[in-house]
Amino acid sequence: FFNIKCRTSGLVPNAVVLVASVTSLKMNGGGPKVSPGKPIPDEYLTENLELVGAGFANLERHLRNANRFGVPVIVAINKHDTDTQKELELVQTLSRHSGAFDAVVSDHFARGGEGAVALGEAVISACEQPSNFRFLYDLEMPIEEKIRTIAQQIYGAGDIVLSDRAKNKIATYNSQEYAGLPICMAKTHLSFTDNPAIKGAPSGFELPIKDLRASIGAGFIYPLVGAMSTMPGLPTRPCFFDIE
């Protein structure tokens, strides 16, 4: 959004709302895997400040990343009924110490709009602060360097590894004068790495770039990270058959 849409539209954001939950932090802190259709492990249903604290490393990196763009960041803690007061307060304290403008518990799922009033007020307050919005990279940078900047500064990678196919695509786009386009990374959202099973905030890893593609009409180049697929996943019988 920042590096592509804001460049094109001229929009200047006033704030970032970063949504987190105690459950997600526990998962990033080393909690057991949660599988659809199976009972939720006890670690997610009972108080566990150690897991929350360990998993905060993931949220801390997201906070750092958002702060790079020069706008205030609000952490919205999406409250679950199994969260304890100590767990919620721990997330608030750690967030504020790590650069959040504020960290607010939002209970809108249980209480509707009333449960989100404090979050709304915090966002209004953040939007009233001065904005020093800036982009992560200059469009004039070489394609490879723009990808490397994202990988190192946002994901925490040590470096990128370009496949031969990716190198050839870069050469092609350079010759076609598309090198000045912004970058939209196509990678798993479940990890900072290309491996969705690696949680937390790993650093120093190599980020494999298997291929690059260009969406010229949309105005960006998108590298394919690892085994990323760009095809939408559909069941054997798509749901549209049952829509009247």
Side-chain angles (χ1 to χ4, degrees):
F1 180 86
F2 285 164
N3 286 307
I4 299 176
K5 188 175 181 66
C6 288
R7 285 186 199 271
T8 304
S9 66
L11 292 172
V12 177
N14 296 104
V16 171
V17 178
L18 189 55
V19 181
S21 70
V22 168
T23 300
S24 67
L25 293 181
K26 287 180 177 180
M27 185 174 294
N28 275 285
K33 182 178 179 180
V34 176
S35 300
K38 295 184 178 180
I40 298 177
D42 289 341
E43 286 85 347
Y44 301 110
L45 304 176
T46 57
E47 183 173 275
N48 194 317
L49 299 178
E50 182 178 354
L51 277 183
V52 174
F56 182 78
N58 182 272
L59 179 56
E60 182 179 30
R61 180 169 294 175
H62 283 294
L63 266 168
R64 183 195 68 188
N65 290 343
N67 277 319
R68 286 184 186 278
F69 294 93
V71 294
V73 184
I74 299 291
V75 174
I77 307 169
N78 197 2
K79 184 180 180 182
H80 296 186
D81 60 0
T82 54
D83 300 341
T84 69
Q85 188 62 32
K86 287 184 178 180
E87 289 174 331
L88 295 169
E89 289 176 352
L90 177 60
V91 179
Q92 288 180 294
T93 299
L94 292 175
S95 296
R96 289 165 180 156
H97 287 172
S98 298
F101 177 80
D102 202 354
V104 182
V105 176
S106 185
D107 197 17
H108 52 278
F109 185 84
R111 300 197 295 132
E114 182 183 356
V117 169
L119 174 60
E121 291 174 343
V123 172
I124 291 172
S125 179
C127 289
E128 292 172 344
Q129 305 303 308
S131 174
N132 298 304
F133 178 63
R134 53 187 174 271
F135 299 118
L136 183 66
Y137 54 79
D138 294 327
L139 291 181
E140 294 73 22
M141 292 171 62
I143 294 173
E144 181 176 344
E145 287 307 310
K146 285 184 277 196
I147 298 172
R148 179 173 286 109
T149 297
I150 296 170
Q152 292 179 334
Q153 296 195 27
I154 299 298
Y155 303 143
D159 204 355
I160 59 174
V161 179
L162 296 169
S163 70
D164 290 340
R165 183 177 180 83
K167 292 177 183 177
N168 291 335
K169 286 291 190 68
I170 290 175
T172 298
Y173 296 146
N174 285 336
S175 68
Q176 295 173 333
E177 299 185 353
Y178 295 147
L181 292 175
I183 303 297
C184 183
M185 303 290 278
K187 69 177 291 296
T188 177
H189 62 287
L190 299 174
S191 173
F192 283 113
T193 74
D194 66 304
N195 183 348
I198 298 178
K199 305 300 183 184
S203 60
F205 55 89
E206 292 184 337
L207 194 71
I209 309 299
K210 299 297 185 182
D211 194 6
L212 279 84
R213 298 176 189 171
S215 293
I216 302 306
F220 58 79
I221 291 172
Y222 60 101
L224 300 181
V225 180
M228 189 67 183
S229 172
T230 58
M231 292 295 292
L234 294 175
T236 304
R237 178 181 172 81
C239 294
F240 70 77
F241 282 115
D242 303 314
I243 298 176
E244 296 182 0

